[in-house]
Amino acid sequence: MVSQRLDLRGLRCPIPVIRLEAAMRALPQGTTIEVLADDPIARVDLPHAARSAGFCCETLHSEDPTSFGFRVFSEGK
């Protein structure tokens, strides 16, 4: 499975959501997006945006306590 990384650390909402939505629209078949962010609001908004667009969203474990990550993918891809 091909993976694309989207580093949104340092950006404040709504910018992380806008960038994730653009990446999901351009997502080639079979690709997973690994998203890194550090805005506390994005912790809620990014998974919500992914699920609203019909994508799956899994939380990733982060060694860095100031940031968090998600894996976004389409179940049918």
Side-chain angles (χ1 to χ4, degrees), residues 8-56:
L8 304 172
R9 292 175 292 184
L11 301 174
R12 298 294 168 238
C13 276
I15 301 302
V17 171
I18 292 167
R19 296 233 177 126
L20 176 61
E21 288 173 341
M24 287 187 301
R25 281 192 299 274
L27 192 65
Q29 187 170 0
T31 303
T32 297
I33 303 174
E34 290 184 2
V35 182
L36 296 173
D38 58 2
D39 180 9
I41 302 295
R43 186 181 296 268
V44 174
D45 287 352
L46 291 173
H48 178 73
R51 290 182 185 113
S52 292
F55 287 79
C56 297

Side-chain angles (χ1 to χ4, degrees), residues 1-6 8 20 24 27 30-37 43 46-51 54-62 68-75:
M1 183 181 310
V2 178
S3 184
Q4 171 183 327
R5 180 168 240 169
L6 190 59
L8 304 172
L20 176 61
M24 287 187 301
L27 192 65
T31 303
T32 297
I33 303 174
E34 290 184 2
V35 182
L36 296 173
R43 186 181 296 268
L46 291 173
H48 178 73
R51 290 182 185 113
F55 287 79
C56 297
C57 185
E58 297 176 344
T59 302
L60 299 174
H61 175 71
S62 175
F68 49 89
F70 299 100
R71 182 176 295 121
V72 176
F73 58 95
S74 175
E75 204 161 21

